[in-house]
Amino acid sequence: MENPPVARVRTQEKAAAARARAAKPRPGCGTGQADAAPDAHFTHFDARGQVHMVDVADKDVSKRIARAGGRIEMLPATLALIAKGEAKKGDVLGVARIAAIGAAKRTSDLIPLCHPLPLTHVAVEFSVDARGSAVAIEVTAETLGRTGVEMEALTAAAAGLLTIYDMCKAVDRGMCIRELRLLEKSGGKSGHFVAER
């Protein structure tokens, strides 16, 4: 059995290593060809620093598409229940798909400065990663409008993953949601963005 000072040093070393990992940018996070320009600013604040909903009236209507994704990691036994459709609450991925679509439609109710958008299409795909013991989600949201659908895609992906957690938490409370992010967007003045893998 280790004496307490040695154990304390090892714990501190592990904590320092974890902090270093957390501080290091992950691939695709905060990177990409659409990184902030030198004159970039937060558009949800006016010249006086007051919060406002961005005026999009002068923008052109165009086709806007956004893809977002993420994953939820779990115990292999939990993943097996999902894959076999044997979870106690039923078809986990079917319910999560409906939740994601519903969340995309209600994004402006959840994100306070988001414009309500008439979505023209929302698609939700799941993939099971047996090796990583995880389920990945990818959501594509589309509209014809004056502002993008990034928040709709992200909100849908988050809701889909949270629904998986809710439906499986009785057998696995240690599930972990990771890598929720924008994968791609197109349309509008800011152009095309693709996240680095």
Side-chain angles (χ1 to χ4, degrees), residues 76-95:
T78 308
L79 187 64
L81 288 173
I82 292 171
K84 290 179 191 171
E86 294 177 359
K88 191 175 183 181
K89 291 186 177 181
D91 177 10
V92 172
L93 299 184
V95 174

Side-chain angles (χ1 to χ4, degrees), residues 35-122:
D35 278 353
D39 61 344
H41 63 284
F42 293 119
T43 57
H44 286 100
F45 295 97
D46 65 19
R48 295 176 297 130
Q50 300 297 312
V51 173
H52 71 121
M53 190 170 182
V54 176
D55 183 355
V56 297
D58 292 335
K59 291 186 175 186
D60 292 332
V61 173
S62 64
K63 184 166 186 171
R64 314 288 186 124
I65 302 172
R67 285 189 312 112
R71 57 192 279 118
I72 182 166
E73 297 170 359
M74 61 195 70
L75 295 171
T78 308
L79 187 64
L81 288 173
I82 292 171
K84 290 179 191 171
E86 294 177 359
K88 191 175 183 181
K89 291 186 177 181
D91 177 10
V92 172
L93 299 184
V95 174
R97 177 175 280 111
I98 296 298
I101 293 168
K105 292 163 62 177
R106 302 293 300 268
T107 298
S108 65
D109 292 334
L110 300 169
I111 310 297
L113 300 178
C114 218
H115 292 83
L117 295 179
L119 296 171
T120 57
H121 180 68
V122 179

